[in-house]
Amino acid sequence: MIKNELLQTQKESLHEILKQDTALYQIIQTVSNMAIPELYVGAGCIVQSVWNRLYGMPIGYGISDVDIVYFDEELSEEKELDTSKEIAEAIGHSTYSLDIINEARVHLWYEERFGFPIQAYTSSEEAIYTWPTTATAIAVSLDEKGQLQVLSPYGLDDVFEGIIRPNKKMITEEIYDQKVAKWIKKWPELKVVPW
């Protein structure tokens, strides 16, 4: 029971933190109202917003882009480009660049980009489960009542405690170390769990 109460408190805190970044929250609101399957805003922009609050950094500090994922079984590159354009147009001008990915297509280009093949995902949720760290394996959307829906397969403790822990489902030690090095420069207080 205490664990559930803590998780609920963490979700409420996360919602308040995200609301403070009006540019990011506008993106979350916009995509949550779109009729695109399994559409989420996730990864670095979410956890880094929490880190900024934890370590007294300005809103938006260190956020390189906003990851938007969805799952469409129509696998043509043309359809993905059309959907990306639709999402970008709905969002309009933003201070953040957007990284929009159809998780159903990732297996088609992953090996060329990262050097090894992966199985096709069956959902956005499955993809998020493999994201590189337990803290960055997180995605959000708003329900029809404006309540924050959080998909965080490893919980929110690492997010709120500033812990970087590898999620070895898919990444390599080299990729993990690169991400850690980049983040530590911006948020030196982070606690890193070695590979």
Side-chain angles (χ1 to χ4, degrees):
M1 188 65 171
I2 292 172
K3 184 86 172 154
N4 287 343
E5 288 175 15
L6 174 60
L7 184 59
Q8 187 57 38
T9 300
Q10 289 170 330
K11 286 180 179 179
E12 289 167 7
S13 295
L14 178 60
H15 199 177
E16 289 308 310
I17 289 168
L18 295 175
K19 283 180 182 177
Q20 298 301 307
D21 186 335
T22 53
L24 177 57
Y25 199 69
Q26 178 65 46
I27 293 170
I28 295 168
Q29 288 177 308
T30 300
V31 301
S32 295
N33 289 320
M34 299 183 78
I36 295 173
E38 300 181 37
L39 187 61
Y40 297 95
V41 175
C45 65
I46 305 301
V47 72
Q48 290 161 4
S49 294
V50 175
W51 295 345
N52 288 338
R53 173 69 68 85
L54 286 176
Y55 305 123
M57 304 308 280
I59 289 169
Y61 170 80
I63 297 175
S64 58
D65 61 19
V66 172
D67 291 294
I68 300 170
V69 298
Y70 66 96
F71 195 86
D72 184 350
E73 293 179 7
E74 162 54 69
L75 298 182
S76 75
E77 190 172 356
E78 182 181 12
K79 178 71 187 299
E80 183 175 37
L81 290 171
D82 288 346
T83 303
S84 293
K85 185 177 177 187
E86 178 187 351
I87 292 169
E89 286 177 354
I91 290 167
H93 175 74
S94 177
T95 57
Y96 294 118
S97 62
L98 308 175
D99 187 8
I100 304 168
I101 292 179
N102 177 8
E103 293 291 358
R105 292 190 78 250
V106 170
H107 67 286
L108 299 176
W109 51 260
Y110 195 91
E111 182 174 12
E112 185 177 322
R113 186 164 167 196
F114 293 105
F116 57 94
I118 62 168
Q119 294 294 314
Y121 293 126
T122 59
S123 65
S124 288
E125 291 82 0
E126 183 184 21
I128 292 161
Y129 179 73
T130 68
W131 287 358
T133 72
T134 55
T136 58
I138 185 172
V140 302
S141 64
L142 299 171
D143 67 17
E144 58 283 348
K145 296 178 182 174
Q147 297 299 307
L148 189 71
Q149 303 302 301
V150 181
L151 180 62
S152 180
Y154 305 102
L156 293 172
D157 290 351
D158 285 358
V159 173
F160 280 94
E161 292 171 20
I163 296 172
I164 305 300
R165 185 185 318 271
N167 176 12
K168 298 181 182 181
K169 298 278 182 284
M170 200 160 69
I171 64 161
T172 63
E173 183 174 3
E174 180 184 8
I175 292 171
Y176 178 69
D177 289 344
Q178 288 170 357
K179 289 188 176 296
V180 166
K182 180 175 74 172
W183 293 334
I184 286 296
K185 284 181 184 171
K186 295 175 183 172
W187 299 276
E189 304 91 340
L190 291 170
K191 302 167 207 68
V192 177
V193 176
W195 181 268

